[in-house]
Amino acid sequence: MLDVFPRFADDPRRRPPEVPAEPMLTIRQPAGDERLVPVSDLVASEAAVDRTVDFHCVTTWSVLNQTWTGVPLRTWWASTIGPLQQTPFAVVVGLDGHRAVFVVDDLFADDVLLAWNLNGEPLDHRHGAPLRLVSPGQYGYKNVKHVAAIELHAERPVSTLGAKEHLRARVAEEERHSRWPAWLVRWPYRALVPPTAIAAERSGRQR
Ligand SMILES: Nc1nc2c(c(=O)[nH]1)N[C@H]1C(S)=C(S)[C@@H](COP(=O)(O)O)O[C@H]1N2
Ligand SMILES: [Mo]
């Protein structure tokens, strides 16, 4: 259990991306046109809520009781984009190129937020400005920072994370890796935490 929320990343040498002056969220669905929604529209939304939740990374570190401000993805989607198209898969893309693949039911679970504040402050470049996916029921790498696009897919999308990506990364099921069971991967992952956190903090300052 950590006392502070570290900057962490799948590739810790990758710097946080530049955030455009007027960031947009792009929605891509198999049927219909691409939709671009200004992030400022989300931030102005009357449906905004505060949620205090815990955050868990597959590599075994956690931080507890972080308060996010955002819109519940499911209800925001229904009111702004329309009825959810019946596709089994989804991808969330970050401005830095990070991509997380989801089963639609996991991405649109009741507790998933699109958030812009963390503990009462606007998200910074370390934790995902301008917009972050917050899914307390799924491990950290599915909590995509710097969200640029949400895509629905009929076919299972190819992951950029290779075997590290488990299609479902439910914390309750301890789904930490696509091939290795949790008990096997826990210790090697734990050893990676300090070097990864140090490298991620360093690249986070180079900006
Ligand atoms: N865009 C983007 N989102 C990302 C990552 C990333 O590298 N890029 N890393 C993931 C991983 S592995 C973790 S554990 C968390 C870390 O979030 P933090 O930097 O706020 O601690 O972000 C996740 N979301
Ligand atoms: Mo992670």
Side-chain angles (χ1 to χ4, degrees):
M1 239 41 91
L2 301 179
D3 295 330
V4 289
F5 200 169
R7 172 168 141 82
F8 213 79
D10 169 57
D11 175 357
R13 292 158 308 173
R14 190 162 57 190
R15 294 178 195 187
E18 291 295 330
V19 175
E22 288 177 24
M24 302 293 254
L25 170 63
T26 303
I27 306 292
R28 296 189 190 98
Q29 308 183 82
D33 295 334
E34 193 171 279
R35 275 280 299 273
L36 266 81
V37 182
V39 171
S40 55
D41 281 11
L42 280 116
V43 174
S45 164
E46 285 177 5
V49 293
D50 284 345
R51 297 251 176 92
T52 301
V53 293
D54 302 338
F55 186 96
H56 307 282
C57 170
V58 283
T59 62
T60 71
W61 63 268
S62 300
V63 279
L64 307 182
N65 297 319
Q66 301 300 310
T67 302
W68 304 92
T69 308
V71 282
L73 174 62
R74 195 185 158 95
T75 49
W76 173 80
W77 188 286
S79 62
T80 310
I81 306 301
L84 196 56
Q85 290 182 17
Q86 295 302 306
T87 62
F89 303 104
V91 174
V92 178
V93 186
L95 289 167
D96 59 353
H98 183 84
R99 293 166 65 85
V101 179
F102 295 84
V103 165
V104 156
D105 289 347
D106 292 343
L107 179 60
F108 288 86
D110 284 339
D111 59 354
V112 175
L113 294 185
L114 280 172
W116 51 84
N117 273 16
L118 170 59
N119 299 323
E121 302 285 336
L123 277 175
D124 60 12
H125 65 279
R126 299 174 70 244
H127 292 298
L131 192 67
R132 179 175 198 158
L133 191 83
V134 175
S135 175
Q138 298 177 76
Y139 282 114
Y141 73 95
K142 304 282 190 185
N143 289 241
V144 178
K145 301 194 279 189
H146 324 291
V147 172
I150 302 177
E151 306 171 350
L152 298 183
H153 289 266
E155 306 291 332
R156 180 169 172 175
V158 177
S159 168
T160 52
L161 298 179
K164 279 187 289 183
E165 179 146 76
H166 198 284
L167 178 59
R168 309 191 76 181
R170 292 168 295 179
V171 176
E173 308 291 330
E174 232 194 307
E175 292 165 332
R176 293 186 192 270
H177 195 272
S178 63
R179 299 204 189 110
W180 301 330
W183 63 265
L184 184 62
V185 83
R186 235 179 266 142
W187 292 103
Y189 263 168
R190 186 160 294 170
L192 287 175
V193 174
T196 307
I198 290 167
E201 289 290 351
R202 190 174 294 147
S203 63
R205 285 197 297 266
Q206 290 173 359
R207 162 167 202 285

